[in-house]
Amino acid sequence: MASVTLVESAKLALNQLIAGVIENVITVDQMFEVIPFDGIDGNALQYSREAVLGDVETSAVDATITATAAATFTSVTSSLTTIIGNAEVNGLIQATRSGSGNDQTAIQIASKAKSAGRKWRELFITGDGTGDDFTGISALCAAGQTITPSTNGDALTFDILDNLIDLILDKDGQVDYFLMAGRTRRAYFALLRALGGAGIGEVVTLPSGAEVAAYRGVGVFRNENIPINQTQGSSNDATEVFAGTLDDGSRQHGFAGLTAQNAAGIMVEDVGIAEAKDNRIWRVKWYSGLALFSELGLACAPGIIP
């Protein structure tokens, strides 16, 4: 008599299901851990930057004072936007297919929350302020804080990194971060190896205990939301490198993420049962934005090519 076949025996057995979902939609953004967030109350956050200082002069005894010009300022407004999405789960699916450690509703809500965080991190780099998007650091970087690239772009050099450091005057020249795509960070490591005998051991330890590479004591953060397909002259594979400062809660330095004071962070709201379907709706939302307090706390080197 022949043995039972694998095909027939499989009909009487169940596959083992691993609880949870293995993440496969991932974008590396090491800096998100250290970005400060500031809660605001009202429609937006308004602040003033110095534009022109009041003038002074040297004066002889009994001379008429002519330095009478007043200081002028630039008013800036940073608004919040809503990052939002609905997680909708059918009642039958929730009731019958939430075993084996995988709660259907919990997984859908967690996925929406992850998408909200990813959306903020994307806008943090590339947001242009159009529609309901907030403005990201690429568009916020002032013209005077941008290194002019060669016609068709430049390969990364230590001189470019040094130039970025020198452009940061906020916090009395202290620089809190470099931010670059993974491709650019590999180019930085190649520069170190080309020195001969140089190690890649200089690191900065984050609050979580994780370590990132460093240059001159400044953390070099990898961020895969930075595009590597920008156009610079005849090059269509250019990217940007950023350097700058983080606000310390004083609303005077660098940038800070914004969120609603009385509804901070990503929120989950039970909307209830859909009127025409046997579905329960959960709303995931985040009232958030970005503020660049000091323009001298952000610098950018565009046109960086492989």
Side-chain angles (χ1 to χ4, degrees):
M1 180 179 292
S3 171
V4 63
T5 65
L6 285 173
V7 174
E8 287 300 316
S9 64
K11 297 176 182 178
L12 303 177
L14 297 176
N15 293 331
Q16 180 180 356
L17 178 64
I18 298 175
V21 177
I22 298 171
E23 290 188 291
N24 201 40
V25 182
I26 301 172
T27 303
V28 175
D29 181 359
Q30 297 172 313
M31 193 172 168
F32 193 63
E33 176 184 336
V34 299
I35 292 177
F37 275 85
D38 195 350
I40 67 172
D41 189 15
N43 297 328
L45 184 65
Q46 185 171 344
Y47 44 98
S48 297
R49 297 193 190 113
E50 287 180 334
V52 178
L53 293 177
D55 62 345
V56 296
E57 63 185 0
T58 58
S59 177
V61 175
D62 204 29
T64 300
I65 299 173
T66 59
T68 58
T72 61
F73 306 91
T74 301
S75 181
V76 182
T77 301
S78 297
S79 302
L80 296 181
T81 191
T82 301
I83 298 174
I84 194 167
N86 284 351
E88 193 167 331
V89 180
N90 178 264
L92 176 63
I93 290 175
Q94 176 63 26
T96 63
R97 301 187 180 182
S98 291
S100 303
N102 288 329
D103 185 290
Q104 297 285 339
T105 297
I107 288 174
Q108 293 301 321
I109 291 173
S111 179
K112 290 285 182 176
K114 178 180 177 181
S115 291
R118 286 170 58 85
K119 183 64 175 178
W120 190 95
R121 291 148 80 167
E122 173 190 330
L123 293 176
F124 166 65
I125 299 293
T126 62
D128 59 7
T130 61
D132 295 312
D133 293 352
F134 62 79
T135 305
I137 61 174
S138 183
L140 286 172
C141 192
Q145 294 292 107
T146 301
I147 299 173
T148 302
S150 300
T151 301
N152 298 316
D154 303 290
L156 184 70
T157 64
F158 288 125
D159 187 58
I160 289 174
L161 298 179
D162 290 337
N163 199 347
L164 285 172
I165 288 177
D166 289 345
L167 284 173
I168 303 301
L169 303 180
D170 184 30
K171 287 188 177 179
D172 200 26
Q174 173 186 325
V175 181
D176 292 332
Y177 65 87
F178 284 109
L179 195 59
M180 59 185 70
R183 185 190 77 185
T184 314
R185 192 180 65 159
R186 293 195 300 273
Y188 167 63
F189 291 151
L191 289 174
L192 292 180
R193 289 191 293 268
L195 293 175
I200 311 179
E202 186 180 4
V203 298
V204 170
T205 302
L206 305 182
S208 66
E211 294 180 339
V212 296
Y215 175 67
R216 290 176 55 183
V218 179
V220 178
F221 292 86
R222 173 185 170 194
N223 186 305
E224 296 303 331
N225 287 304
I226 300 175
I228 57 173
N229 60 351
Q230 297 174 332
T231 299
Q232 179 63 45
S234 62
S235 302
N236 58 7
D237 55 359
T239 186
E240 298 171 290
V241 176
F242 300 94
T245 60
L246 304 172
D247 188 53
D248 56 6
S250 65
R251 297 180 174 178
Q252 298 288 321
H253 304 294
F255 71 80
L258 299 179
T259 189
Q261 180 70 49
N262 298 320
I266 297 175
M267 299 176 294
V268 178
E269 182 177 57
D270 184 1
V271 177
I273 302 299
E275 181 178 357
K277 298 179 181 180
D278 183 25
N279 294 348
R280 193 174 195 91
I281 302 171
W282 298 82
R283 183 158 296 154
V284 178
K285 56 187 178 181
W286 189 8
Y287 305 132
S288 57
L290 182 70
L292 177 65
F293 297 113
S294 173
E295 288 186 322
L296 300 182
L298 176 63
C300 175
I304 303 299
I305 57 176

